Amino acid sequence: MFVLFWSTTAHGEPHKEGLIMTCGPAKPLIESLNNRFEQKIIWAGVTHKTDGGLPYTLYLYYNSSDENWTVVMFDPTGMKACVIVSGNGATTMMQ
């Protein structure tokens, strides 16, 4: 099954490289996504090995009630997380 989400808006500040990221300790971020924004994980993926030899994990958090979503990348230890991008409005496309 293939699932694709299409966003109508995204929020964040672009970095020099064009990426949108905010990083910090993982625990408060997860608690905020779960409790404040009522987002739950609906997708997870693991990157190829990094230069250090360990993969990063990506999660898509989503609130189906208001269609807010957040893409989060966790470092190999799971202690640090970066919000890659967030937004609202999504369309689910399955093939």
Side-chain angles (χ1 to χ4, degrees), residues 8-82:
T8 55
T9 60
H11 310 281
E13 292 297 321
H15 284 247
K16 188 194 279 186
E17 297 83 14
L19 296 175
I20 301 171
M21 289 197 290
T22 303
C23 299
K27 186 176 179 179
L29 173 64
I30 295 167
E31 289 172 353
S32 178
L33 290 173
N34 288 189
N35 300 328
R36 181 174 174 202
F37 297 103
E38 299 179 3
Q39 294 182 359
K40 304 297 178 206
I41 298 170
I42 63 164
W43 179 86
V46 178
T47 66
H48 294 286
K49 291 183 179 179
T50 63
D51 291 338
L54 298 172
Y56 285 76
T57 305
L58 291 158
Y59 290 102
L60 174 59
Y61 287 81
Y62 182 66
N63 179 329
S64 60
S65 298
D66 61 12
E67 295 186 335
N68 284 319
W69 54 266
T70 306
V71 176
V72 181
M73 179 175 66
F74 291 84
D75 75 347
T77 68
M79 299 301 292
K80 183 176 178 184
C82 297

